[in-house]
Amino acid sequence: MHRRSGLSARTKLTISYAGFLLLAGVLLLAVMWVFVLRWLPTDDPRSLQRTFGGVVFIGPSRADLLRGFTPAAATALAFLLVFGLLGGWILAGRMLAPLTRIADAARMAGYGSLSHRIRMKGPDDEFRELADVFDAMLEQLDSHVAEQQRFAANASHELRTPLAITRTLLDVARDDPTRDQGELIERLHAVNTRAIDLTEALLLLSRSDGKSFTREPVDLSLIAEEAAETLLPLAEKRQTTLDVTGETTQTVGSAALLLRMMTNLVQNAIVHNLPAGGTVTIHTEPQHGASVLRVENTGHPLPSELVPALTEPFQRGTERVRTDEHAGVGLGLAIVHSIVRAHDGTLALAPRPTGGLLVTIRLPDQGLSRN
Ligand SMILES: Nc1ncnc2c1ncn2[C@@H]1O[C@H](COP(=O)(O)OP(=O)(O)O)[C@@H](O)[C@H]1O
Ligand SMILES: [Mg+2]
């Protein structure tokens, strides 16, 4: 980018500082002239003598004084100018020093070094505030980039696993052509399905992150009913009771994404439940201008320090055996979180004291979410 080269801020500040000082000096001299020197007599010898209320003043004439005064005034003004320029230059330098530090930090960030912080000390002024805001922004960027890198590494790892299994299966089949083909095809099919599920979950995650979907009024309770109906066979297979309670509550968003969110939550609540005899409750209600959804399930007690991390991609809690056909890819809650964020809502996870999880989601209701 090319810009016109101009005076530096330091030069401009110095010039204005010296200029103001000079102006103040000139004004002061003008005031002196108006209020003091004007009262002096002109050169007329008759007027050298003046009478104020009976008292007689005899003094120098105006010309005398001007003659003596002018060089002194000029010297004073010249001194003010030099003093203003010098003082201004030093003061402006000191004032602008924090800006240089902030600019340095911005330049380093521009080159990709996000670990640098300004950590400005000193009084709590505007520069300090700017530096603190800048540090906070760097912090945010830094952790975001780290998160993205972790995500990319995890995603590649997860995608490589089914490919590696596929290659092993194919190697085995090539080395031993007499083996049962049917079993091989079944296993290849299962591995392939999992890879497709994973890829689709990743695509969904990037789509919901982008906020690029059409918004329409959606009734959350209907979405809950639909998800419960779809997952009823799974619940029955696991001898889990599925309850849908509450009232209709409207929000605005993508019905498809919200259904996906609900399905992920209910599927988790069924799959990560007690082996048999567990319960799942889905509750919807309007509350203070928001639509509230609660999905609650019984299950094993969850360590509370583990719970906040469950929404991170590929986090799978303290899972025991994962040979389950419904074992997820670890993106379920990450997708839920991303869909909730895209709908300007909030997501809260809480372990239940008796075991299992309580998920609470708040979405803005119809009126509020238009922005
Ligand atoms: N309703 C739930 N009850 C208990 N644990 C849960 C529940 N939902 C999620 N979890 C835990 O959070 C982890 C991450 O969930 P998720 O992102 O859906 O991945 P996945 O289900 O594929 O393992 C799960 O592995 C499980 O340990
Ligand atoms: Mg899941």
Side-chain angles (χ1 to χ4, degrees):
M1 188 169 59
H2 279 283
R3 279 181 302 194
R4 254 179 336 119
S5 62
L7 292 177
S8 74
R10 189 175 186 180
T11 315
K12 280 188 217 158
L13 277 176
T14 306
I15 291 175
S16 2
Y17 184 78
F20 271 112
L21 212 59
L22 208 61
L23 193 70
V26 169
L27 273 178
L28 203 66
L29 292 178
V31 165
M32 272 174 72
W33 175 256
V34 169
F35 287 101
V36 182
L37 300 181
R38 207 154 55 96
W39 296 105
L40 288 173
T42 52
D43 250 353
D44 185 354
R46 273 165 306 158
S47 58
L48 279 178
Q49 213 167 308
R50 277 207 170 188
T51 315
F52 283 114
V55 186
V56 179
F57 288 90
I58 302 172
S61 73
R62 204 184 280 185
D64 288 341
L65 241 143
L66 260 183
R67 231 168 285 127
F69 182 73
T70 315
T75 315
L77 284 182
F79 175 74
L80 273 186
L81 182 65
V82 172
F83 181 77
L85 285 175
L86 210 69
W89 184 253
I90 294 170
L91 271 180
R94 288 190 53 170
M95 289 290 293
L96 294 174
L99 270 189
T100 318
R101 280 183 66 188
I102 296 172
D104 285 345
R107 201 170 298 116
M108 282 175 82
Y111 290 140
S113 150
L114 295 176
S115 56
H116 177 75
R117 298 284 175 277
I118 304 170
R119 275 192 253 283
M120 181 100 66
K121 296 200 181 55
D124 203 357
D125 58 6
E126 289 88 341
F127 287 119
R128 170 81 186 274
E129 191 187 340
L130 179 61
D132 286 353
V133 168
F134 199 83
D135 275 351
M137 188 189 77
L138 280 176
E139 190 79 52
Q140 183 95 36
L141 267 176
D142 201 11
S143 77
H144 191 71
V145 168
E147 190 184 307
Q148 291 291 319
Q149 280 167 349
R150 227 173 24 243
F151 178 80
N154 283 334
S156 324
H157 181 80
E158 296 282 335
L159 281 169
R160 193 183 56 187
T161 308
L163 292 175
I165 297 175
T166 307
R167 189 172 66 185
T168 312
L169 289 174
L170 289 173
D171 281 349
V172 169
R174 188 179 54 193
D175 294 347
D176 180 7
T178 58
R179 266 176 80 106
D180 179 12
Q181 295 284 304
E183 192 207 327
L184 173 74
I185 289 172
E186 266 321 299
R187 290 186 64 185
L188 277 178
H189 189 265
V191 172
N192 187 248
T193 307
R194 218 172 133 66
I196 291 174
D197 287 350
L198 176 60
T199 318
E200 268 169 4
L202 284 171
L203 277 175
L204 189 72
L205 197 57
S206 71
R207 190 161 73 93
S208 57
D209 267 344
K211 274 195 172 191
S212 55
F213 47 81
T214 49
R215 285 158 190 260
E216 55 189 329
V218 180
D219 183 346
L220 265 192
S221 67
L222 290 183
I223 300 274
E225 297 275 1
E226 195 176 337
E229 204 169 309
T230 318
L231 289 164
L232 197 58
L234 177 66
E236 275 171 358
K237 205 170 117 196
R238 304 215 156 209
Q239 294 160 25
T240 304
T241 328
L242 206 57
D243 265 336
V244 184
T245 67
E247 311 155 44
T248 62
T249 172
Q250 294 280 328
T251 185
V252 174
S254 149
L257 285 178
L258 290 173
L259 179 61
R260 183 61 192 235
M261 170 193 88
M262 191 74 78
T263 315
N264 283 6
L265 287 175
V266 178
Q267 182 172 5
N268 273 350
I270 298 170
V271 174
H272 304 294
N273 210 315
L274 295 170
T279 58
V280 174
T281 316
I282 313 166
H283 182 88
T284 54
E285 65 177 32
Q287 212 180 68
H288 312 300
S291 285
V292 176
L293 162 72
R294 278 200 301 273
V295 181
E296 202 171 345
N297 59 280
T298 52
H300 298 283
L302 285 163
S304 56
E305 70 276 3
L306 199 99
V307 169
L310 294 180
T311 53
E312 275 177 30
F314 308 112
Q315 279 288 333
R316 288 183 185 123
T318 54
E319 223 56 349
R320 300 140 299 265
V321 263
R322 301 206 53 92
T323 46
D324 201 299
E325 63 185 296
H326 294 287
V329 293
L331 285 175
L333 283 179
I335 289 172
V336 168
H337 195 195
S338 137
I339 293 175
V340 169
R341 259 194 321 238
H343 285 79
D344 305 314
T346 59
L347 165 73
L349 305 181
R352 293 171 74 236
T354 50
L357 192 70
L358 164 64
V359 182
T360 312
I361 288 174
R362 273 167 197 283
L363 297 171
D365 80 359
Q366 218 156 0
L368 289 172
S369 66
R370 241 168 248 151
N371 50 12

